[in-house]
C-alpha cells in the first residue's frame, strides 16, 4: 500500500484530502473510496456539528457517531476498523495546532496542554469503548450462534435413507438434533419461526403460492408448529406471509428476494409494507431481485428463496451461488445491491468440462451450526470446487459433504430440510404470543 510523506504543520494539514492520506498511512487494510467518503462525511459531522466550537471530542463518541452514520447509509464496515481509523485521525489531529477541517469549517482551537489531556483521555477510554461497543453492536443473531437442528418427521417417511445418513452425520459431528412432529412436508425451514435473538422468535403466515394447487395436503400450520416446539421463549406473531428460506441474516441485515411483495399482494417496494417487514424482522432489509416469468420453464425459480442465492460468511463477506450461469443479468443486480451496502461478494463459479446445472446451484444451500458446516454434494466434478469455496470462506469451521441427489431434484437442499436454532434453558415461563403487526 502506498505511503505518503505528510507534514502536520502544513497549512492544509486537516483537509479531507490530507486526512485521507493520513488514514491510508496508518491502516493495514483496504479502505474503498465510497466507504472513506462516508467516514469523511461522518467525521466532519461529528467534529463540526456534534462536538462544536470549543468542546471536547473523545474517542468513544467519535466511533459511535461514525458507526451510526454508516448504518444510516446502509454501509457495513467492521467496528474494529472504524476504531483504528478514528485513532489514526485523532493521533494526527493532536499534532496539528488549532484543529480545523478546512478554512471554511468550524474551528475548534485547543492549546498544546489541551491536546495532551485529550490524548491521555483517548488512551484511557480506548479499551473501555471496545468492550462497551462490542456488546452494543453485537452481531445480529445468525447461524454461527446456533447449537441445535430440527428436521421434519416427514423426512424419515419420504426419504428414509437420507434421514438415516443425515442423523448419523449429526451424531458423528456432535450436532444435537430432534424431530418436529405433525408436519406435512420435509421443507421445515420454510414454515418454522425465524429466531431474532436468544429468546425471541418471529412466527409468520406460511401460505406459499407454489402450494396453491395442492390445497392443504402439504401446507404445514406454522403457528401450530411453533407452539409445539417453542416453550420457554417469546413468540411474536405476524400476519405477513413469508417463507423461512427467503430470510437470510447477513451482518446486521436480513436479505430477502422481492418475491415477498407478490406473496403479500403488495406493489413492489411498497413503503408501508417495507416498514412492516423492518419491524417484524427487527432489522434493515436488502431486497434481491427475483423473477419467474413462466413457472413451467426449466430452471424457473418458483420459490424465490434468498437461501438459494447467498450465505453470509462473517464480517461483510457473502458467498453467492452460480446464479450467473442461469440468469447473468439478475446475478449482476444481486451482486450490485449487496456491494452497494459494503458487502464483499464471492461467486461460486465452476470450472469443469460439463457443468451439471441440475445440481450445482444447490451448494449454497448448506447448513451451518456454530462452527460446523454440512454441504450438499452430488458425486459430480463441481463437488470438490464447491467444498473448496466454502472452506476458504469459513476457515475456522469444520466442513463436511453430504450426498443428496434425491432431495435436490425436488427443488431444495440441506438448508431447506433443516431448522437450526440456539436452544437454551431460560429461567422464565413461556409468554403469550404478541401480535406485533396488525397487517
Amino acid at each position: 500500500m502506498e505511503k505518503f510523506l505528510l507534514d502536520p504543520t502544513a497549512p492544509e494539514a486537516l483537509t479531507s484530502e490530507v486526512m485521507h492520506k493520513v488514514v491510508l498511512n496508518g491502516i493495514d487494510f483496504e479502505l474503498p473510496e465510497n466507504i472513506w467518503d462516508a467516514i469523511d462525511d461522518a467525521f466532519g459531522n461529528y467534529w463540526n456539528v456534534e462536538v462544536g466550537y470549543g468542546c471536547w471530542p473523545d474517542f468513544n463518541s467519535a466511533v459511535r457517531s461514525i458507526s451510526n452514520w454508516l448504518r444510516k447509509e446502509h454501509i457495513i464496515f467492521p467496528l474494529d476498523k472504524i476504531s483504528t481509523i478514528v485513532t489514526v485521525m485523532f493521533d494526527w489531529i493532536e499534532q496539528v495546532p488549532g484543529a480545523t477541517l478546512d478554512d471554511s469549517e468550524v474551528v475548534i482551537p485547543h492549546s498544546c496542554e489541551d491536546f495532551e489531556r485529550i490524548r491521555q483521555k483517548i488512551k484511557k477510554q480506548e479499551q473501555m469503548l471496545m468492550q462497551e461497543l462490542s456488546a452494543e453492536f453485537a452481531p445480529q443473531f445468525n447461524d454461527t450462534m446456533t447449537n441445535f437442528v430440527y428436521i421434519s418427521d416427514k423426512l424419515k417417511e419420504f426419504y428414509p435413507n437420507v434421514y438415516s445418513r443425515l442423523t448419523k452425520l449429526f451424531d458423528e459431528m456432535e450436532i444435537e438434533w430432534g424431530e418436529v412432529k405433525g408436519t406435512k412436508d420435509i421443507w421445515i425451514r420454510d414454515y418454522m419461526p425465524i429466531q431474532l435473538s436468544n429468546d425471541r422468535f418471529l412466527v409468520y403466515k406460511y401460505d406459499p403460492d407454489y402450494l396453491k394447487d395442492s390445497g392443504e395436503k402439504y401446507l404445514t400450520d406454522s403457528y401450530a408448529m411453533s407452539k409445539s416446539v417453542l416453550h420457554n421463549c417469546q413468540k411474536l406473531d405476524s400476519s405477513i406471509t413469508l417463507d423461512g428460506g427467503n430470510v437470510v441474516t447477513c451482518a446486521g441485515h436480513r436479505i430477502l428476494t422481492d418475491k415477498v411483495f407478490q406473496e403479500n399482494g403488495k406493489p413492489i417496494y411498497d413503503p408501508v409494507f417495507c416498514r412492516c417487514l423492518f419491524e417484524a424482522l427487527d432489522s434493515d432489509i436488502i431486497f434481491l431481485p427475483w423473477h419467474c416469468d413462466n413457472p413451467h420453464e426449466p430452471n424457473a425459480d418458483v420459490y424465490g428463496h434468498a437461501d438459494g442465492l447467498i450465505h453470509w460468511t462473517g464480517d461483510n463477506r457473502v458467498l453467492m451461488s452460480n446464479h450467473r450461469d442461469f440468469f447473468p443479468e439478475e446475478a449482476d443486480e444481486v451482486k450490485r445491491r449487496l456491494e452497494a451496502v459494503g458487502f464483499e461478494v464471492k461467486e461460486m463459479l465452476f470450472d469443469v468440462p460439463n457443468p451439471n446445472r441440475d445440481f450445482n446451484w444447490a451448494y449454497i444451500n448448506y447448513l451451518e451450526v456454530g462452527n460446523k458446516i454440512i454441504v450438499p454434494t452430488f458425486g459430480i466434478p463441481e463437488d470438490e470446487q464447491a467444498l473448496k469455496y466454502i472452506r476458504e470462506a469459513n476457515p475456522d469451521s469444520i466442513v463436511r459433504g453430504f450426498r443428496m441427489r434425491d432431495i435436490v431434484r425436488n427443488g431444495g437442499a440441506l438448508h431447506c430440510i433443516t431448522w437450526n436454532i440456539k436452544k437454551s434453558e431460560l429461567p422464565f415461563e413461556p409468554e403469550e404470543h404478541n401480535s406485533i403487526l396488525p397487517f
Side-chain angles (χ1 to χ4, degrees):
M1 189 177 293
E2 181 183 3
K3 297 296 181 182
F4 302 94
L5 184 62
L6 303 170
D7 180 4
T9 65
E12 304 299 317
L14 284 171
T15 60
S16 295
E17 292 78 8
V18 171
M19 189 63 80
H20 189 194
K21 294 177 180 178
V22 168
V23 169
L24 293 177
N25 275 355
I27 62 176
D28 60 359
F29 49 84
E30 293 296 322
L31 181 61
E33 289 287 340
N34 67 311
I35 294 179
W36 162 252
D37 289 342
I39 290 174
D40 186 32
D41 291 342
F43 187 75
N45 177 76
Y46 166 76
W47 190 267
N48 294 304
V49 178
E50 295 184 23
V51 175
Y53 183 83
C55 296
W56 293 91
D58 69 83
F59 183 79
N60 293 46
S61 60
V63 174
R64 204 185 311 269
S65 177
I66 292 172
S67 179
N68 289 338
W69 182 286
L70 296 185
R71 282 168 174 258
K72 290 177 182 177
E73 294 294 318
H74 304 294
I75 293 175
I76 300 169
F77 198 62
L79 187 64
D80 60 334
K81 293 183 179 179
I82 295 175
S83 300
T84 299
I85 290 171
V86 170
T87 300
V88 171
M89 296 172 85
F90 271 35
D91 285 346
W92 177 258
I93 290 169
E94 290 171 20
Q95 302 175 56
V96 180
T100 178
L101 291 181
D102 65 40
D103 293 340
S104 66
E105 294 181 335
V106 179
V107 176
I108 307 177
H110 291 292
S111 66
C112 292
E113 291 79 9
D114 289 340
F115 273 119
E116 178 59 23
R117 284 198 294 272
I118 292 173
R119 191 184 71 81
Q120 293 299 331
K121 186 178 180 181
I122 289 170
K123 300 303 181 185
K124 290 178 181 179
Q125 290 175 334
E126 191 167 324
Q127 185 174 5
M128 183 187 306
L129 173 83
M130 293 309 297
Q131 293 174 348
E132 177 185 342
L133 289 185
S134 64
E136 180 177 346
F137 296 105
Q140 193 175 52
F141 195 89
N142 60 72
D143 286 344
T144 65
M145 303 175 184
T146 62
N147 60 11
F148 196 93
V149 178
Y150 281 102
I151 55 178
S152 161
D153 57 346
K154 290 296 182 184
L155 186 64
K156 183 190 294 186
E157 178 182 341
F158 295 165
Y159 297 92
N161 180 262
V162 172
Y163 173 91
S164 176
R165 291 188 298 110
L166 183 58
T167 55
K168 181 180 179 181
L169 182 56
F170 287 159
D171 291 339
E172 288 177 3
M173 296 183 72
E174 299 184 338
I175 297 173
E176 292 190 70
W177 63 276
E179 292 181 36
V180 177
K181 306 294 184 182
T183 66
K184 292 188 177 182
D185 70 30
I186 66 172
W187 313 113
I188 190 172
R189 178 71 56 179
D190 293 335
Y191 46 78
M192 294 305 288
I194 296 164
Q195 189 163 14
L196 303 178
S197 65
N198 286 350
D199 59 356
R200 294 169 60 243
F201 289 78
L202 177 69
V203 185
Y204 48 87
K205 181 181 179 183
Y206 177 64
D207 188 23
D209 55 10
Y210 51 81
L211 289 182
K212 299 296 186 187
D213 294 340
S214 60
E216 296 187 0
K217 182 179 180 181
Y218 299 109
L219 190 61
T220 300
D221 186 334
S222 56
Y223 300 104
M225 292 301 100
S226 70
K227 290 178 181 178
S228 71
V229 175
L230 300 177
H231 302 294
N232 295 327
C233 60
Q234 185 179 15
K235 296 181 282 292
L236 306 174
D237 280 353
S238 170
S239 57
I240 292 178
T241 300
L242 278 176
D243 287 5
N246 194 26
V247 181
V248 175
T249 300
C250 290
H253 291 73
R254 311 276 186 197
I255 314 294
L256 290 80
T257 72
D258 54 28
K259 189 190 178 191
V260 68
F261 294 95
Q262 175 180 301
E263 288 277 307
N264 287 274
K266 298 297 176 183
I268 194 164
Y269 309 133
D270 175 73
V272 175
F273 182 64
C274 285
R275 175 52 54 192
C276 290
L277 282 171
F278 297 158
E279 292 175 357
L281 293 169
D282 191 24
S283 173
D284 289 336
I285 296 176
I286 301 171
F287 295 108
L288 302 183
W290 167 85
H291 80 282
C292 181
D293 301 326
N294 181 356
H296 302 294
E297 287 182 354
N299 299 320
D301 179 12
V302 298
Y303 307 108
H305 291 174
D307 71 353
L309 292 172
I310 61 166
H311 201 116
W312 181 59
T313 58
D315 295 329
N316 66 330
R317 304 187 310 276
V318 172
L319 198 58
M320 180 177 164
S321 73
N322 60 326
H323 197 57
R324 181 172 305 283
D325 290 338
F326 304 92
F327 304 107
E329 292 182 2
E330 194 167 86
D332 284 338
E333 182 62 15
V334 168
K335 189 175 182 182
R336 187 195 68 77
R337 292 188 191 185
L338 293 172
E339 290 179 339
V341 294
F343 282 112
E344 295 177 2
V345 180
K346 178 70 173 181
E347 295 184 72
M348 297 176 68
L349 302 176
F350 304 108
D351 181 19
V352 297
N354 298 296
N356 190 323
R357 294 183 182 176
D358 290 335
F359 296 114
N360 64 20
W361 62 269
Y363 295 114
I364 200 68
N365 197 256
Y366 61 85
L367 171 66
E368 182 174 19
V369 186
N371 70 335
K372 299 168 185 177
I373 291 175
I374 304 177
V375 182
T377 58
F378 313 101
I380 59 177
E382 289 95 316
D383 285 355
E384 182 179 352
Q385 293 181 20
L387 288 167
K388 182 179 179 182
Y389 273 122
I390 293 169
R391 285 184 173 124
E392 289 179 350
N394 302 275
D396 298 324
S397 296
I398 300 166
V399 180
R400 295 279 299 272
F402 179 77
R403 191 158 173 174
M404 51 182 309
R405 282 175 168 249
D406 291 348
I407 299 265
V408 172
R409 285 194 179 99
N410 286 321
L414 199 54
H415 195 255
C416 300
I417 64 168
T418 54
W419 179 54
N420 53 312
I421 63 171
K422 181 177 181 181
K423 201 173 183 181
S424 58
E425 295 299 327
L426 301 174
F428 52 82
E429 292 301 314
E431 297 188 17
E432 295 295 325
H433 276 53
N434 298 312
S435 181
I436 60 172
L437 288 174
F439 174 74

